[in-house]
Amino acid sequence: MKIQILTIFPGICEGVLRESMLKRAREKGLADIQALDLRAWAADKHRTTDAAPYGGGPGMVMKIEPIHRALQELRGEDTRVVLMTPQGRKFSQPLAETYAKEKHIIVICGHYEGVDQRVADYLVDDEISIGDYVLTNGALAALIFTDAIVRLVPGVLGDDQSAVQESFSTGLLDHPQYTRPENFNGWSVPEALLSGNHGAIASWRKARARELTERRRPDLLPASPPP
Ligand code: ADE
């Protein structure tokens, strides 16, 4: 899989791509992830990528030309082009699972007041928001999108099971986890987990996951059938 993040702040991405799972995925050749400087496709000598909005108003808007030029060079037959924007459809685990099957994704990062609407209308396949809040910088959103996808690529996580059993894949929040010591400051690990009885452990975990989901995220539970 190849992911190319197009941003005017590639430096924001570089640190993240050089650590932990994303680093491992790149080193193992499972994901080719690149942060590309959009300014490289700006035609003027000042490398301009933004301009004032038509109709007035505060801030600057990202121009279409450098994005169009970059896509002409980078886009292939099997490319999905995604624009990160708070106006997009909300990112989720099922969407991450869909994108994890793609061969090539180009992620366009918005900055400032937004991106010329013609980019969304004519150049991209999908507009995605990572949540109902506004970031200063689309590169942060692109990294979250990338991380959630790349960890689902087979072989990226050490233990393939861990992507299957965790929150959202099961439809529930994750059950709590504990590790050594058994007792810290008088705060002890639940008895069921120390029993060595796999059946009892599995049902304890299922019950805690269900309880937690009911309390914190009832919206994740299937609607109960009408009486
Ligand atoms: N850019 C700024 N805020 C964003 C968000 N919530 N999702 C995606 N891109 C963004």
Side-chain angles (χ1 to χ4, degrees):
M1 154 181 290
K2 180 152 129 187
I3 301 183
Q4 293 175 307
I5 302 174
L6 259 182
T7 167
I8 53 171
F9 299 114
I12 290 179
C13 302
E14 277 151 19
V16 175
L17 300 182
R18 261 190 264 116
E19 300 283 344
S20 188
M21 284 297 168
L22 295 182
K23 173 186 172 187
R24 234 179 75 173
R26 298 170 86 198
E27 285 177 352
K28 284 168 115 182
L30 297 167
D32 175 8
I33 313 168
Q34 306 165 5
L36 303 175
D37 189 349
L38 181 62
R39 291 184 205 279
W41 286 275
D44 63 312
K45 74 170 194 249
H46 298 295
R47 300 268 174 225
T48 310
T49 54
D50 59 354
Y54 279 118
M60 300 294 267
V61 174
M62 304 268 302
K63 288 162 66 65
I64 190 170
E65 297 107 307
I67 296 172
H68 181 253
R69 215 171 284 120
L71 291 179
Q72 277 194 315
E73 187 180 325
L74 302 173
R75 190 176 214 156
E77 290 252 308
D78 292 322
T79 309
R80 293 279 302 172
V81 180
V82 175
L83 173 66
M84 301 312 297
T85 161
Q87 280 76 47
R89 61 179 171 142
K90 206 189 273 180
F91 193 46
S92 63
Q93 194 64 24
L95 258 186
E97 280 157 19
T98 304
Y99 272 99
K101 297 186 184 101
E102 293 290 340
K103 286 199 178 77
H104 180 205
I105 306 168
I106 296 176
V107 188
I108 301 168
C109 305
H111 300 283
Y112 312 123
E113 288 305 306
V115 180
D116 187 310
Q117 181 60 31
R118 290 167 291 186
V119 170
D121 291 348
Y122 300 108
L123 301 183
V124 312
D125 299 306
D126 208 354
E127 295 172 70
I128 289 184
S129 163
I130 59 159
D132 290 340
Y133 41 82
V134 181
L135 304 165
T136 55
N137 196 303
L140 296 169
L143 288 169
I144 287 167
F145 175 74
T146 300
D147 185 89
I149 291 166
V150 170
R151 66 188 289 287
L152 297 175
V153 171
V156 170
L157 296 182
D159 174 2
D160 275 0
Q161 273 301 299
S162 48
V164 173
Q165 281 182 8
E166 72 206 348
S167 287
F168 303 114
S169 302
T170 57
L172 298 175
L173 296 182
D174 244 356
H175 57 76
Q177 298 276 19
Y178 297 85
T179 187
R180 283 187 284 271
E182 207 177 298
N183 189 316
F184 177 75
N185 267 353
W187 304 328
S188 52
V189 173
E191 273 303 318
L193 298 178
L194 307 173
S195 66
N197 176 337
H198 296 301
I201 292 170
S203 54
W204 182 89
R205 287 180 164 165
K206 214 166 147 187
R208 294 296 81 71
R210 173 101 205 162
E211 228 170 63
L212 191 63
T213 311
E214 276 168 3
R215 186 152 37 90
R216 293 229 178 108
R217 295 293 308 277
D219 56 298
L220 294 176
L221 297 168
S224 40

